[in-house]
Amino acid sequence: MVRSLTDAERQALEAGLRSSAAFTVRRAQVLLASARGEHVPAIARTLGCDEQTVRNALHAFAAHGLAALTPGSSRPHTTHAVFDAAGAERLTDLLHRSPRDFGHPTSLWTLELAAQTAHAEGLTPTRVTGETVRATLARHKVHWQRAKRWITSPDPAYQRKKRLRDRLIRLTRTHPTWALGFADEVWWSRVAQPAVRAWTATGQPLRLVEQAVAKGEPKAVACYGLLVRWWDDPAPDDDPSEALWLRFVDGRPISGVTTRYLAWSCAKLAAAGRTALLLVWDNASWHVSREVEQWIAAHNAAAKAGAATVRIVACPLPIKSPWLNPIEPKWVHGKRRVVEPARLLTMDELEARVYDALGADHADHLAMPEKAA
């Protein structure tokens, strides 16, 4: 029989009858029936359960009180150390291989599959449980974790180009008169709406109204951007100074416009007392064209002769690697900041919002050469 219940315990048990957990309801029924003087066989018949289930509820309440209403872990309290130190190391090495190497039709391990394979490979004399495998792996700091998506580039020279980029970053940190620049181009659209989230009342989502542009009006405007960083103090823990320089284009990005933007950027760097621009950008056709390469070579020759003050060291990024260029996220977040849900922005409004969103100074448009236009 259950011991005498206090008023608080009786109230908690009666509340447990209304619980959404079947375990809690069953325990509360057992304990209240016993408190009314019913014996174990009668309670078991009334509730349709085994007599041992009733006894377990009574013993748990006697030992733990109201905590007996909460189900405990289903894991065993003890596990057998069937894996010695060498066996545990072999088990860890086994998980670094694909299950397909052992004839299984999957590429991902489960505890039961690992236990089965460990026995088949002679790591254990008998078939152990998945819990034994889990406990063994936990002792060796191997845990069940969510898989991470890993972005890779198809560029065969990925590692070489990434090392060059990282080397330029290290060099800039140790040269106070050098600047590191991440360049890219983007189109700012008056029509396309980015994916956004907004705080709105339930059932009343923010609606991005599809806009239309009159015939002959521009739908978007191209923009050059250079994210410039420099370290005035070469201390390794200091954060760099940073600026974002934007120039909108009357037309589209081409080689002739790119060289004008580079010349403008070098003039700004020279005014800031910089002597070198370590330029990181992608493999766009207007970056790697012969015209741009020849212009950079002539510009560096002029810098060596003293006619120019800022030389350029260009570093192309691997193919399909926007995560290596920190200016790319600024485009993504900037498009969300300038969005207008319900009306069409004029070109001037769009450009003003871009400058404000990215904290950049206004500058005149770059014009395409007449030959290219």
Side-chain angles (χ1 to χ4, degrees):
M1 304 293 291
V2 72
R3 58 173 172 78
S4 299
L5 300 177
T6 65
D7 292 341
E9 289 175 336
R10 187 176 296 278
Q11 292 177 1
L13 292 176
E14 291 175 351
L17 296 176
R18 299 185 294 274
S19 173
S20 60
F23 179 89
T24 301
V25 173
R26 178 58 58 85
R27 282 280 173 98
Q29 291 173 332
V30 169
L31 295 173
L32 289 173
S34 181
R36 292 194 297 267
E38 298 183 23
H39 295 281
V40 170
I43 297 174
R45 285 194 301 271
T46 301
L47 299 180
C49 63
D50 189 76
E51 293 183 9
Q52 187 59 44
T53 301
V54 178
R55 295 189 181 94
N56 290 342
L58 297 176
H59 295 162
F61 183 77
H64 306 292
L66 292 175
L69 298 178
T70 304
S73 173
S74 61
R75 290 178 176 176
H77 296 290
T78 59
T79 57
H80 300 287
V82 296
F83 291 95
D84 55 15
E89 290 292 341
R90 291 180 61 191
L91 176 64
T92 303
D93 294 339
L94 181 144
L95 294 184
H96 284 86
R97 298 175 59 186
S98 172
R100 297 184 186 276
D101 294 345
F102 302 94
H104 301 297
T106 179
S107 298
L108 301 176
W109 286 106
T110 65
L111 292 177
E112 293 299 326
L113 187 61
Q116 174 187 341
T117 307
H119 175 55
E121 293 296 312
L123 275 65
T124 59
T126 59
R127 174 71 159 78
V128 297
T129 64
E131 174 60 22
T132 300
V133 173
R134 186 204 65 79
T136 302
L137 295 174
R139 292 197 299 270
H140 286 71
K141 309 299 182 184
V142 179
H143 302 282
W144 184 262
Q145 302 180 73
R146 181 185 296 275
K148 296 183 181 296
R149 298 183 181 274
W150 193 257
I151 305 175
T152 58
S153 167
D155 195 331
Y158 174 83
Q159 291 296 338
R160 179 181 62 81
K161 293 180 179 178
K162 183 178 183 300
R163 283 195 297 267
L164 176 58
R165 165 193 173 272
D166 296 342
R167 180 172 177 270
L168 293 182
I169 295 175
R170 291 194 301 269
L171 286 174
T172 310
R173 295 177 69 99
T174 58
H175 291 76
T177 61
W178 291 7
L180 179 67
F182 297 95
D184 193 35
E185 296 76 35
V186 67
W187 285 87
W188 298 92
S189 175
R190 302 169 61 199
V191 179
Q193 302 281 24
V196 296
R197 294 176 178 269
W199 292 103
T200 58
T202 302
Q204 301 177 13
L206 175 68
R207 301 186 183 278
L208 301 179
V209 181
E210 183 177 358
Q211 303 295 333
V213 178
K215 186 175 182 179
E217 290 188 12
K219 293 183 178 180
V221 58
C223 175
Y224 278 75
L226 182 68
L227 179 63
V228 188
R229 293 174 177 173
W230 62 86
W231 284 262
D232 294 317
D233 187 345
D237 297 332
D238 286 350
D239 293 329
S241 300
E242 184 176 287
L244 182 60
W245 298 339
L246 301 180
R247 291 290 298 272
F248 287 94
V249 181
D250 291 330
R252 66 185 188 278
I254 60 173
S255 300
V257 180
T258 302
T259 56
R260 295 182 182 184
Y261 181 74
L262 290 178
W264 175 78
S265 300
C266 288
K268 289 179 68 69
L269 288 172
R274 306 295 146 185
T275 61
L277 171 61
L278 280 60
L279 182 63
V280 179
W281 56 8
D282 59 25
N283 294 271
S285 59
W286 51 86
H287 293 168
V288 297
S289 66
R290 179 177 301 179
E291 179 181 348
V292 172
E293 291 181 350
Q294 291 176 347
W295 184 91
I296 292 177
H299 175 83
N300 288 339
K304 186 175 181 180
T309 56
V310 178
R311 63 188 180 93
I312 300 175
V313 179
C315 170
L317 287 172
I319 298 172
K320 294 184 180 180
S321 57
W323 57 92
L324 294 181
N325 192 341
I327 199 175
E328 295 271 1
K330 293 186 178 295
W331 300 148
V332 176
H333 297 300
K335 290 181 178 180
R336 293 171 181 166
R337 295 191 188 106
V338 304
V339 65
E340 180 60 48
R343 69 179 179 86
L344 183 66
L345 293 175
T346 66
M347 195 62 72
D348 291 339
E349 288 178 321
L350 176 61
E351 293 181 11
R353 288 193 180 190
V354 171
Y355 282 122
D356 292 341
L358 299 180
D361 295 330
H362 291 245
D364 295 334
H365 282 211
L366 290 167
M368 293 178 60
E370 294 182 3
K371 186 191 312 183

